[in-house]
């Protein structure tokens, strides 16, 4: 069956690949973004996917964005991909309250903001797919990313708890935890650090955004109805956890 999907941060990087993959799977898709109008327009022109700007850290903006999306997509949103994320890296002893709060707000509080407004509709409809993009660094922790690691570990806890609450209503809640993927976020990492990272990845390369898109499409499918509360690691073997 095809559904109505909203992908946060869906105009660039991993989110763009997820938006495209969901569209190719037959779903109606709206891609949200924060402020880069130029990238959003280029994405929409290239893919034909509708875009809408709002801040996923703002509850009221999310509620309005999701209501508008339902109108635009022709019915209640029954797939939410919580992909938008930021980094504000730095060693903890130098980390500012702003760097902490910004990351928790965009990478973790956004899951509440984007899921709470649609959960009643999913429960009433007896179907829902919520996919949260965590990170390898939420699974293993990463020096210089206490804020990001905490937020991304929180994403996994959110997923497991909500999965238990919604399982009987036909709603599955899962995580994909990417390793290092070839996007703008990783392009910001200095080349010497990146070379060291790649040396530690058994498949010996960065991941492709399309590989995350394919994983998300599977988790959204009817065939994945028995999978809930799971975290799918997509990291080239860099970190293996049960
Ligand atoms: P990018 O930086 O390439 O893209 C981020 C996207 O999120 C953009 O579309 C951006 O919008 C949007 N965004 C940022 N802040 C907000 C906000 N407050 N409200 C709405 N949208 C927002 O990120 P990636 O594609 O690299 O990462 C996507 C997700 O995957 C993130 O959650 C990241 O933590 C996670 N991840 C990434 C990895 C990687 O190697 N790249 C590894 C593991 C996890 P705009 O274009 O307007 O700025």
């Amino acid at each position: 069956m095809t559904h109505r999907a909203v992908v946060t941060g869906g105009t660039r990087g991993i989110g763009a690949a997820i938006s495209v993959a969901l569209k190719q799977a037959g779903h109606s898709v709206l891609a949200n973004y924060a402020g880069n109008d130029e990238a959003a327009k280029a994405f929409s022109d290239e893919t034909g996917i509708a875009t809408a700007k709002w801040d996923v850290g703002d509850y009221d903006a999310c509620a309005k964005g999701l209501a508008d999306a339902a109108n635009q997509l022709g019915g209640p949103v029954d797939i939410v991909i919580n992909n938008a994320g930021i980094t504000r890296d730095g060693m903890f002893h130098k980390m500012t309250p702003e760097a902490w709060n910004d990351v928790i707000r965009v990478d973790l509080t956004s899951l509440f903001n984007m899921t709470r407004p649609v959960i009643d509709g999913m429960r009433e409809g007896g179907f829902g797919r919520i996919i949260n993009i965590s990170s390898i660094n939420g699974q293993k922790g990463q020096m210089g990313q206490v804020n990001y690691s905490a937020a991304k570990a929180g994403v996994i806890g959110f997923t497991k708890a909500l999965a238990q609450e919604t399982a009987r209503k036909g709603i599955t809640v899962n995580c994909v935890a990417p390793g290092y993927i070839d996007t703008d976020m990783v392009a910001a990492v200095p080349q010497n650090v990146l070379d060291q990272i790649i040396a530690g990845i058994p498949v010996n390369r960065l991941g492709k955004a399309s590989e995350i898109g394919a994983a998300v499409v599977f988790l959204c499918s009817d065939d994945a109805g028995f999978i809930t509360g799971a975290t799918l690691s997509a990291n080239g073997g860099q970190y293996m956890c049960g």
Side-chain angles (χ1 to χ4, degrees), residues 12-17 83 178-189 194 206-210 212:
R12 286 200 289 124
I14 292 172
N83 164 79
Y180 287 82
I181 309 297
D182 197 2
T183 68
D184 293 347
M185 187 180 270
V186 165
V189 177
L194 207 52
L206 297 176
K208 298 179 206 152
S210 61
I212 306 303

Side-chain angles (χ1 to χ4, degrees), residues 21-33:
L22 286 170
K23 184 184 178 196
Q24 283 170 352
H27 302 296
S28 302
V29 180
L30 182 131
N32 148 272
Y33 68 103

Side-chain angles (χ1 to χ4, degrees), residues 8-16 32-37 39-40 53-57 82-87 105-107 133-137 148 152 176-186 206 209:
T8 68
T11 57
R12 286 200 289 124
I14 292 172
N32 148 272
Y33 68 103
N36 190 334
D37 297 317
K53 176 164 62 172
W54 73 82
D55 175 7
V56 295
N82 287 308
N83 164 79
I86 59 168
T87 51
R105 181 176 171 278
V106 175
D107 294 15
I133 306 303
S134 179
S135 167
I136 185 174
N137 292 344
Y148 184 81
K152 292 298 187 180
V176 175
Y180 287 82
I181 309 297
D182 197 2
T183 68
D184 293 347
M185 187 180 270
V186 165
L206 297 176

